[in-house]
């Protein structure tokens, strides 16, 4: 019996060296050698029902764990089906490594069945894209793919493995994995930032997802508490500062005026920590372009006319924030505190509401009341995302995941599968619209097959609600946004899941509590009254600064 290690087997050894625990994907002819090697590996292979679902699962695995999620597809349509999830991870800075089979190198120079230039196709949507054209280079390609995916600002990498190369012997072993050194911020940059903060009258912190990615939420809390500087967070940084913290101003990201926007209007110095421009364009929170901006991150600031920074502190965020805490003087009571109370009053207004269909505010209140504080909530894209970003209270980082860079619909259900695989002991809830749910509904079978337990909360309005909201605001009417839905309860049952429909006399909170305590997957179909969308727009337009 031959002991020769093939390139496909060596690939799996490299994945084991990278401490990969699971791979999400679909079987195909051109990745059979890799699948056969995985069959003898401790790595768990999760067979999904669509490659987009696999990519989204790897995406959310990367967001939650901080280590690259891995997805696998075959060539041609299998690989192209990965694109949306890979682009989502790359733009949202989630570490991901995508691997696809490819035709034999003997076919790549000509028109051939299912052959595309996959390396070139993935180049614009990844940090690193490469093809294994010789067995000897595989360990270097895999190590580089993971190093680029997880290092600096994380993102996606792509590896193409032609089927004939996969079958060839690979003499070189996996490369060792070494953690890179923590980047130490320059003392002069820290002193310059501290000087600006000490001279500021009304400083404000804008915390981005980079704080969560860096595990620097605790350091941020210490900085804000020690210096008495209020903190606003982007959608993707919910929970970066516990909402119960007296300096937490909530999320910024609505394109309409909101309470937190008054804080940006009043601030003379804005400290952007771990902030990526893709999370919320500077033009929307800094339209005047005349504030003093301090950029603190692991990478230099992006160039933008409304993000012309006066000071940059580059390095490990925990180190940066700890040193800045030592250098800046505490200040008196912040004038921005009334903004927080205004938002709390707004959140509490509908806690006892009995209207049916349910208002978004009541849906969120019941969800927050029923779920544990460490429950992982994966929010899909749609009108519900804006409501969740604004009103769902988070006390811990990575407990409300929102795709807001690429902002792709269809992420919630696959994301819940990834979260449940990573944290089987925690509550997991997919919050989704009816449209986003049906985009990857086939993954219900995956969740049931895996014996997972989580809840899918569908905000049902029989329409593309967010687009309708924007159409009515922009054009005074809606166009082509209405559709019909299946019976979600029967649909759930057909997959082997549980299904619940909320009616006029039902309690959503009670239904959520029961579903979260029941093993298995439960779909909750909850009608929502999105007439509140326009009411919110009108209300925000009439807000008066509370100080």
């Amino acid at each position: 019996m031959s002991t020769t290690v093939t390139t496909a087997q060596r690939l799996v050894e490299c994945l084991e060296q990278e401490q990969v625990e699971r791979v999400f994907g679909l079987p195909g002819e051109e990745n059979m050698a890799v699948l056969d090697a995985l069959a003898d590996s401790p790595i768990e292979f999760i067979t999904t029902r669509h490659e987009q679902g696999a990519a989204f699962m790897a995406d959310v695995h990367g967001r939650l764990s901080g280590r690259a999620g891995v997805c696998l597809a075959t060539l041609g349509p299998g690989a192209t089906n990965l694109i949306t999830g890979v682009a989502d991870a790359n733009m949202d800075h989630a570490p991901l490594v995508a691997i696809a089979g490819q035709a034999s190198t003997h076919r790549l120079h000509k028109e051939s069945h299912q052959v595309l230039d996959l390396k070139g196709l993935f180049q614009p949507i990844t940090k690193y894209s490469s093809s294994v054209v010789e067995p000897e280079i595989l360990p270097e390609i895999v190590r580089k793919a993971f190093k680029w995916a997880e290092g600096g600002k994380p993102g996606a990498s792509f590896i193409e493995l032609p089927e004939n190369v996969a079958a060839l012997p690979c003499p070189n072993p996996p490369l060792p994995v070494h953690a890179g050194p923590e980047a130490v911020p320059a003392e002069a940059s820290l002193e310059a930032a501290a000087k600006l903060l000490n001279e500021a009258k009304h400083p404000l912190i804008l915390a981005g997802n980079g704080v969560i990615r860096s595990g620097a939420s605790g350091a941020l809390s210490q900085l804000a508490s020690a210096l008495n500087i209020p903190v606003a967070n982007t959608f993707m940084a919910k929970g970066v500062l516990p909402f119960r913290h007296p300096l937490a101003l909530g999320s910024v990201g609505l394109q309409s005026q909101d309470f937190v926007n008054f804080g940006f209007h009043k601030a003379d110095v804005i400290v952007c920590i771990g902030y990526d421009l893709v999370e919320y364009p500077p033009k929307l929170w800094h339209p005047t372009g005349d504030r003093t901006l301090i950029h603190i991150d692991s990478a230099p600031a992006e160039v933008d006319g409304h993000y012309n920074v006066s000071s940059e502190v580059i390095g490990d965020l925990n180190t940066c924030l700890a040193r800045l805490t030592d250098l800046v003087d505490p200040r008196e009571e912040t004038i921005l505190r009334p903004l927080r109370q205004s938002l709390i009053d707004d959140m509490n207004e509908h806690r006892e509401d009995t209207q049916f269909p349910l208002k978004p505010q009541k849906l969120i209140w019941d969800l927050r009341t029923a779920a544990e504080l460490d429950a992982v909530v994966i929010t899909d894209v749609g009108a519900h995302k804006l409501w969740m970003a604004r009103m769902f209270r988070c006390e811990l980082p990575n407990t409300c995941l929102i795709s807001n860079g690429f902002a792709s619909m269809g992420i919630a259900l696959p994301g819940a599968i990834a979260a449940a695989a990573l944290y089987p002991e925690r509550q997991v809830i997919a919050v989704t619209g009816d449209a986003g749910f049906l985009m990857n509904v086939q993954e219900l079978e995956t969740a049931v097959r895996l014996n997972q337990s989580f809840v899918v909360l569908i905000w049902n309005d029989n329409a593309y609600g967010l687009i309708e909201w924007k159409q009515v605001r922009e054009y005074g009417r809606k166009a082509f946004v209405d559709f019909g839905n299946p019976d979600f309860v029967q649909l759930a049952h057909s997959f082997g899941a549980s299904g619940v429909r909320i009616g006029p006399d039902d309690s959503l909170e009670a239904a959520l509590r029961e579903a979260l305590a029941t093993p298995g997957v439960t779909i909750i179909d909850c009608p929502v009254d999105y007439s509140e969308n326009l009411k919110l727009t009108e209300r925000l337009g009439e807000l008066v600064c509370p100080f």
Side-chain angles (χ1 to χ4, degrees):
M1 183 175 179
S2 174
T3 57
T4 301
V5 177
T6 68
T7 304
Q9 292 168 334
R10 193 69 85 191
L11 169 62
V12 173
E13 290 181 4
C14 290
L15 296 181
E16 293 171 358
Q17 181 86 328
E18 299 290 342
Q19 300 183 353
V20 173
E21 296 179 353
R22 59 186 55 87
V23 174
F24 307 94
L26 264 70
E29 290 184 49
E30 283 71 16
N31 64 11
M32 287 194 301
V34 177
L35 292 166
D36 186 71
L38 281 167
D40 297 321
S41 170
I43 295 174
E44 177 186 15
F45 185 80
I46 294 181
T47 304
T48 65
R49 301 308 301 269
H50 194 283
E51 292 87 356
Q52 184 182 109
F56 277 142
M57 291 175 202
D59 177 354
V60 171
H61 177 96
R63 292 171 195 254
L64 289 172
S65 69
R67 301 189 63 85
V70 180
C71 52
L72 175 68
T74 189
L75 82 172
T80 59
N81 282 343
L82 291 174
I83 286 177
T84 297
V86 171
D88 188 85
N90 197 56
M91 191 168 284
D92 283 11
H93 298 297
L96 175 149
V97 173
I99 304 169
Q102 178 58 288
S104 166
T105 55
H106 306 108
R107 295 203 282 132
L108 299 184
H109 67 287
K110 60 186 177 181
E111 181 178 313
S112 190
H113 180 64
Q114 292 190 314
V115 170
L116 293 171
D117 177 8
L118 297 181
K119 176 184 173 183
L121 191 65
F122 280 83
Q123 192 85 48
I125 59 168
T126 57
K127 293 177 67 179
Y128 173 67
S129 179
S130 189
S131 179
V132 184
V133 294
E134 296 286 348
E136 290 80 3
I137 66 175
L138 172 83
E140 293 177 346
I141 287 178
V142 174
R143 179 79 280 272
K144 186 172 182 179
F146 277 84
K147 184 173 182 178
W148 282 65
E150 297 175 348
K153 281 196 176 183
S157 292
F158 173 75
I159 300 172
E160 170 192 81
L161 180 59
E163 62 176 336
N164 63 324
V165 177
L168 294 174
C170 179
N172 296 335
L175 292 177
V177 178
H178 299 295
E182 292 184 350
V184 178
E187 195 66 22
S189 67
L190 285 165
E191 292 173 356
K195 183 175 185 296
L196 290 174
L197 274 173
N198 283 329
E199 294 172 351
K201 294 182 179 179
H202 305 297
L204 174 67
I205 293 172
L206 172 60
N209 190 36
V211 181
I212 295 178
R213 292 195 305 262
S214 302
S217 298
L220 173 67
S221 179
Q222 292 176 5
L223 174 71
S225 300
L227 308 182
N228 204 26
I229 302 177
V231 178
N233 59 262
T234 63
F235 284 8
M236 292 176 63
K238 285 183 69 65
V240 68
L241 189 70
F243 188 78
R244 65 176 178 270
H245 196 290
L247 292 168
L249 294 182
S251 301
V252 61
L254 288 180
Q255 295 186 15
S256 301
Q257 174 77 288
D258 204 350
F259 294 114
V260 68
N261 293 92
F262 290 121
F264 285 90
H265 298 335
K266 186 67 176 179
D268 56 344
V269 174
I270 302 172
V271 189
C272 303
I273 306 176
Y275 160 73
D276 305 319
L277 269 64
V278 73
E279 298 183 71
Y280 188 46
K283 184 177 181 179
L284 297 180
W285 56 265
H286 189 210
T288 56
D290 59 353
R291 302 302 195 265
T292 297
L293 303 183
I294 300 174
H295 174 86
I296 304 177
D297 203 359
S298 59
E302 175 64 276
V303 175
D304 183 285
H306 292 265
Y307 196 64
N308 188 19
V309 300
S310 301
S311 175
E312 292 191 61
V313 180
I314 308 301
D316 171 69
L317 284 187
N318 279 290
T319 305
C320 292
L321 299 183
R323 287 291 296 120
L324 203 58
T325 302
D326 294 337
L327 293 173
V328 179
D329 301 326
R331 60 190 60 254
E332 298 300 322
E333 176 75 9
T334 171
I335 194 174
L336 303 182
R337 196 176 295 274
L339 295 176
R340 170 179 168 79
Q341 188 57 49
S342 298
L343 182 58
I344 292 173
D345 293 343
D346 206 29
M347 291 176 168
N348 293 342
E349 183 179 353
H350 297 279
R351 59 189 296 180
E352 304 295 340
D353 196 280
T354 58
Q355 178 181 309
F356 186 85
L358 276 70
K359 294 178 180 177
Q361 302 95 314
K362 176 60 173 172
L363 263 159
I364 292 172
W365 183 272
D366 285 358
L367 174 61
R368 179 68 283 173
T369 304
E372 296 175 355
L373 291 182
D374 70 345
V376 180
V377 178
I378 316 292
T379 302
D380 216 291
V381 175
H384 65 282
K385 180 186 86 168
L386 301 183
W387 285 103
M388 286 289 294
R390 183 175 189 265
M391 305 197 75
F392 185 74
R393 308 182 192 204
C394 287
E395 303 298 333
L396 298 167
N398 266 346
T399 55
C400 183
L401 270 62
I402 299 176
S403 171
N404 202 50
F406 198 58
S408 176
M409 293 177 66
I411 193 174
L413 177 55
I417 292 172
L422 194 61
Y423 302 125
E425 75 287 356
R426 291 167 65 177
Q427 294 177 342
V428 175
I429 305 109
V431 175
T432 181
D434 41 7
F437 173 66
L438 287 176
M439 286 189 175
N440 277 307
V441 66
Q442 70 279 349
E443 301 304 342
L444 266 182
E445 189 278 329
T446 306
V448 172
R449 174 168 26 94
L450 296 173
N451 294 316
Q452 291 187 329
S453 296
F454 61 82
V455 173
V456 180
L457 176 59
I458 301 173
W459 298 39
N460 191 344
D461 70 328
N462 294 286
Y464 293 107
L466 178 59
I467 303 304
E468 179 179 343
W469 184 358
K470 292 178 178 290
Q471 284 178 337
V472 173
R473 287 179 58 197
E474 183 81 14
Y475 301 104
R477 62 178 181 176
K478 64 179 183 178
F480 315 117
V481 292
D482 296 319
F483 51 72
N485 278 318
D487 183 320
F488 287 121
V489 173
Q490 290 189 28
L491 182 66
H493 291 165
S494 72
F495 278 98
S498 300
V500 177
R501 180 177 296 108
I502 303 300
D505 299 322
D506 297 322
S507 165
L508 174 61
E509 180 187 338
L512 282 165
R513 288 186 183 278
E514 181 176 355
L516 288 168
T518 302
V521 179
T522 300
I523 309 299
I524 299 180
D525 176 10
C526 185
V528 60
D529 177 15
Y530 272 146
S531 66
E532 288 295 308
N533 293 349
L534 291 176
K535 293 178 184 177
L536 176 64
T537 302
E538 294 169 0
R539 182 176 181 182
L540 294 180
E542 297 170 354
L543 286 181
V544 177
C545 183
F547 52 77

